[in-house]
Amino acid sequence: MKESILTILKEHKKEGFVSGEELSRQFQVSRTTIWKHIRVLKEEGYQIESIPRCGYKLIAVPDMLYQQEIKPLLKTKIIGNKIHHYKEITSTNDVIKQLADNGSPEGTIVVCEEQLAGKGRLGRKWFSPNGAGIWCSVLLRPSIMPQHASKLTLLGAVAVAQGIRNQCGITSGIKWPNDLLVQGKKVCGLLTEMRAELDSVEYVVIGFGINVKNIEFHDEVSCKAISLEQLVGSKISRKKLLAEILASIESNYLLFLEQGFTPIKEQWEQFNITLGKKVVLSSPGQRVAGTAVRLGEEGQLVIKSVKGEEQAYYAGEITLRT
Ligand code: BT5
């Protein structure tokens, strides 16, 4: 009912007040019940003027990623069918994995204003300050073999890059496998996790963190991170951007299920800033230098060594050499 009241207040925002009596008649509840929902909306940050005998008027909507703000913007059928929003949590990936273990359906998303223990790969930190970015995880339940799941990281990177381009007009470059860079600085990172048996995937979680409104960064990343607002120099709506990205995840995911990885790979190649470059690939226990020559059919990066030998890598951290 709270969401329906909000919808009515939004519809009447220009005209003025909606009477409490009218609302209580419409929902067939007491005026006290209406008032309680209004109080919750106010606590959530909605600015609502209430005047006795006039009613309620919506003055301003908070810049929060509430489900009632995202849902009306969604053009998707699956992704975002369930939205869990938190003011602060440890990590959206950790919370969505718990939901997945408890049977949450494909398309569920977890989004928050602040992560207290945002994660990168291999236990690295992801700084996720309050209200500054989009910290979000999406739950997928594809019928694929576990060895194909890493393709979904590349799919996620393509989808976020498309969403950013469509909504903000910024073209970001994908650094294999999971970073989006603009002007050589990181604007987004993706972390894919899964639960699987040897021969089947139970679920895959695509987590993405996008710096949207940050005006400064933690010392550890200040010289290598950038936000979208720093790039465009004007305000960006996090909710519109999130809706655009979810639409893009859905269309790419459906394409992947129907036609396989080839069309995703083609998109990835268009956004890529890795191929053709001299790179160093580091992963636990190894360090390889060479030229990144192509993306394999499985999403692996093929590196040609100085001796001319080609080798495919499925994971690792790439440093681009200039
Ligand atoms: C990543 O790991 O880039 C994956 C980041 C995924 C974050 C999302 S947010 C929603 C979901 N929930 C989570 O808990 N995680 C996901 P990696 O490639 O390992 O890069 C990590 C490195 O990026 C760190 O060691 C820092 O150097 C740098 N970094 C940390 N926070 C950053 C930020 N806000 N902007 C740019 N770089 C950052």
Side-chain angles (χ1 to χ4, degrees):
M1 190 189 306
K2 185 190 76 182
E3 281 168 37
S4 307
I5 294 174
L6 182 63
T7 307
I8 294 175
L9 292 183
K10 279 185 176 170
E11 283 164 6
H12 289 76
K13 201 166 176 243
K14 286 208 181 93
E15 300 146 32
F17 287 85
V18 182
S19 84
E21 199 177 326
E22 169 62 30
L23 289 171
S24 66
R25 203 176 319 122
Q26 206 161 327
F27 294 104
Q28 304 203 324
V29 294
S30 70
R31 283 166 69 174
T32 313
T33 306
I34 298 292
W35 174 79
K36 279 184 185 155
H37 285 296
I38 296 281
R39 196 179 56 186
V40 173
L41 286 169
K42 281 183 174 175
E43 279 163 12
E44 287 178 351
Y46 291 88
Q47 251 176 280
I48 299 170
E49 197 178 343
S50 30
I51 297 186
R53 280 191 290 280
C54 285
Y56 304 104
K57 180 173 162 48
L58 182 63
I59 309 290
V61 171
D63 177 27
M64 301 280 275
L65 298 173
Y66 291 135
Q67 89 141 353
Q68 66 256 24
E69 293 299 321
I70 310 294
K71 270 262 158 101
L73 303 175
L74 284 186
K75 296 170 271 187
T76 53
K77 289 203 173 75
I78 319 163
I79 309 294
N81 54 12
K82 285 222 162 18
I83 300 178
H84 299 263
H85 170 267
Y86 301 86
K87 284 217 169 117
E88 54 171 47
I89 47 172
T90 51
S91 147
T92 55
N93 268 34
D94 288 349
V95 171
I96 208 166
K97 282 192 290 178
Q98 283 167 11
L99 291 168
D101 288 336
N102 290 325
S104 271
E106 174 162 84
T108 299
I109 73 162
V110 170
V111 62
C112 71
E113 301 300 324
E114 178 175 9
Q115 290 188 120
L116 303 172
K119 304 186 297 185
R121 293 174 299 159
L122 302 171
R124 290 188 282 250
K125 269 191 221 152
W126 182 259
F127 297 105
S128 325
N130 185 16
I134 298 178
W135 326 123
C136 180
S137 301
V138 175
L139 174 62
L140 300 175
R141 294 186 181 276
S143 300
I144 56 171
M145 297 284 279
Q147 61 266 35
H148 297 303
S150 62
K151 294 172 185 169
L152 293 172
T153 304
L154 306 188
L155 183 153
V158 166
V160 176
Q162 287 172 339
I164 291 176
R165 188 190 53 196
N166 295 348
Q167 187 61 34
C168 313
I170 296 170
T171 301
S172 49
I174 306 177
K175 180 166 81 85
W176 185 88
N178 68 326
D179 287 353
L180 294 189
L181 306 187
V182 184
Q183 297 174 2
K185 294 186 173 182
K186 189 157 166 172
V187 76
C188 167
L190 289 103
L191 176 66
T192 311
E193 297 185 87
M194 71 167 162
R195 180 180 289 285
E197 306 272 309
L198 267 181
D199 58 355
S200 69
V201 166
E202 196 184 315
Y203 62 77
V204 174
V205 165
I206 300 180
F208 52 93
I210 308 170
N211 301 320
V212 181
K213 296 182 171 289
N214 318 52
I215 42 175
E216 55 181 11
F217 287 91
H218 191 281
D219 284 353
E220 273 178 47
V221 295
S222 59
C223 57
K224 53 184 183 182
I226 198 159
S227 73
L228 294 174
E229 287 195 355
Q230 284 176 327
L231 286 162
V232 293
S234 57
K235 293 277 169 229
I236 288 172
S237 159
R238 287 186 306 152
K239 50 192 173 191
K240 284 191 193 155
L241 176 57
L242 178 57
E244 190 69 39
I245 289 169
L246 296 180
S248 194
I249 291 178
E250 179 161 302
S251 56
N252 283 290
Y253 181 55
L254 295 177
L255 195 62
F256 171 71
L257 294 181
E258 238 170 62
Q259 296 180 24
F261 186 55
T262 308
I264 310 301
K265 180 172 174 278
E266 284 166 9
Q267 280 300 309
W268 190 93
E269 283 162 350
Q270 301 220 341
F271 283 104
N272 111 84
I273 49 163
T274 314
L275 302 183
K277 300 260 172 66
K278 289 211 162 79
V279 299
V280 175
L281 179 135
S282 334
S283 57
Q286 71 173 350
R287 196 168 180 277
V288 185
T291 305
V293 283
R294 67 179 169 278
L295 189 70
E297 292 305 318
E298 300 299 317
Q300 72 277 39
L301 186 66
V302 180
I303 298 180
K304 191 175 188 173
S305 72
V306 269
K307 288 186 194 149
E309 288 157 5
E310 289 189 0
Q311 175 88 39
Y313 297 89
Y314 288 83
E317 174 80 28
I318 286 288
T319 311
L320 297 174
R321 287 178 146 183
T322 43

